[in-house]
Amino acid sequence: MKLTIIGCSGSVPGPAAPAPCYLVEADGFRLVLDLGNGALAALQARISAFDIDALAFSHLHPDHCADFSALAVLRRYHPQPPYPPEQRRLPVFGPSDTARRFAAQYAPNDAERQTTDFSTVFDFHPLTGETVQIGPLKVTSALVTHPCEAYGFRIEHDGRSLVYSGDTAACPALDGLSAGVDLLLAEATWTDLPSRPADMHMSGRQAGQTACRAGAGRLMLTHVAPWTDPEVVLAEARGEFDGEVLLAEQGRFYEV
Ligand SMILES: [Zn+2]
Ligand SMILES: [Zn+2]
């Protein structure tokens, strides 16, 4: 399983990276996790947007899904798609309200019903917190702690495992999802100040503690906000977790 960092800037796109987007590849299958602001441009620098096999959204904050609208335009209106759209609807996994919210995000193109019909190009699947098979990948979602319906993902293939926290505070659901994982891709939005709001995001320290409790193989920090010093976040995590700790680096790929 290969993980490529398409975007890793937390909360907003930053000067060095788009907002979150991760490409997971195995056996030639391509799963994209989140598609934040600016991510579609960076993704197309790697692969054709028509070569995505499935999309999964952790939650519907704009820094994780804003570029869905751009992808919708590309897949519906590209004058020479490599296949007729109706022959390949892209599976999209996300929170319960994903289909309605994405239609609303787009200007309605059905004046009578005041809505947008994506059914020819996308096939929406609400996440349930259960395990689903997406191509060759076994994907387990779990509801995590964030101000909206938000999921973390555990992705397994060929005896290896990757957990993506999505956006979350430290929580038992993330601990459960991460137990014994090979690579924990965990958000660390900010530094560990007691004044930070509860139930929203993790600090580097909390991401390190999560990796430690889970017995993770490696910890990769992501979603560091542009106004946060990544070196401080990294040092916090290293103070809590004895294994290897990395900062997700824009454009790099990693074998899981
Ligand atoms: Zn976010
Ligand atoms: Zn969020």
Side-chain angles (χ1 to χ4, degrees), residues 69-114:
S69 300
L71 180 68
V73 173
L74 188 75
R75 291 187 72 109
R76 294 178 94 194
Y77 298 117
H78 192 292
Q80 293 170 307
Y83 43 79
E86 64 275 13
Q87 284 183 14
R88 194 175 176 202
R89 293 163 78 213
L90 181 65
V92 179
F93 297 81
S96 51
D97 207 20
T98 299
R100 191 194 64 81
R101 284 275 305 278
F102 283 172
Q105 195 177 19
Y106 204 91
N109 58 8
D110 179 332
E112 202 170 294
R113 291 189 297 150
Q114 280 296 299

Side-chain angles (χ1 to χ4, degrees), residues 67-250:
D67 270 17
F68 179 85
S69 300
L71 180 68
V73 173
L74 188 75
R75 291 187 72 109
R76 294 178 94 194
Y77 298 117
H78 192 292
Q80 293 170 307
Y83 43 79
E86 64 275 13
Q87 284 183 14
R88 194 175 176 202
R89 293 163 78 213
L90 181 65
V92 179
F93 297 81
S96 51
D97 207 20
T98 299
R100 191 194 64 81
R101 284 275 305 278
F102 283 172
Q105 195 177 19
Y106 204 91
N109 58 8
D110 179 332
E112 202 170 294
R113 291 189 297 150
Q114 280 296 299
T115 189
T116 292
D117 181 7
F118 283 137
S119 62
T120 56
V121 278
F122 298 112
D123 185 14
F124 290 100
H125 302 267
L127 291 168
T128 58
E130 291 176 352
T131 300
V132 290
Q133 192 72 30
I134 305 179
L137 305 168
K138 193 175 122 187
V139 180
T140 304
S141 56
L143 203 53
V144 292
T145 302
H146 199 53
C148 61
E149 183 185 347
Y151 294 87
F153 297 113
R154 183 184 179 106
I155 300 166
E156 294 168 282
H157 177 264
D158 204 14
R160 302 293 291 174
S161 56
L162 162 72
V163 164
Y164 168 44
S165 67
D167 279 9
T168 183
C171 63
L174 180 61
D175 287 353
L177 207 57
S178 306
V181 72
D182 293 305
L183 176 61
L184 173 58
L185 176 64
E187 74 119 290
T189 303
W190 48 42
T191 54
D192 201 59
L193 294 177
S195 56
R196 302 294 191 204
D199 297 338
M200 194 176 289
H201 290 298
M202 289 193 286
S203 63
R205 183 164 169 260
Q206 290 168 320
Q209 289 169 341
T210 299
C212 184
R213 284 194 298 271
R218 281 192 296 171
L219 171 63
M220 186 180 296
L221 304 174
T222 191
H223 200 276
V224 179
W227 48 79
T228 298
D229 183 343
E231 293 304 324
V232 175
V233 168
L234 187 61
E236 283 183 5
R238 285 180 173 158
E240 299 291 336
F241 179 59
D242 287 340
E244 186 182 7
V245 186
L246 308 162
L247 275 171
E249 244 180 82
Q250 178 62 25

Side-chain angles (χ1 to χ4, degrees), residues 21-59:
C21 179
Y22 310 95
L23 173 62
V24 179
E25 295 173 274
D27 297 345
F29 188 91
R30 289 160 162 161
L31 170 67
V32 170
L33 301 173
D34 289 343
L35 198 59
N37 325 66
L40 187 63
L43 183 68
Q44 289 179 96
R46 296 254 160 199
I47 62 168
S48 160
F50 290 99
D51 287 340
I52 303 169
D53 294 300
L55 263 172
F57 288 95
S58 62
H59 66 301

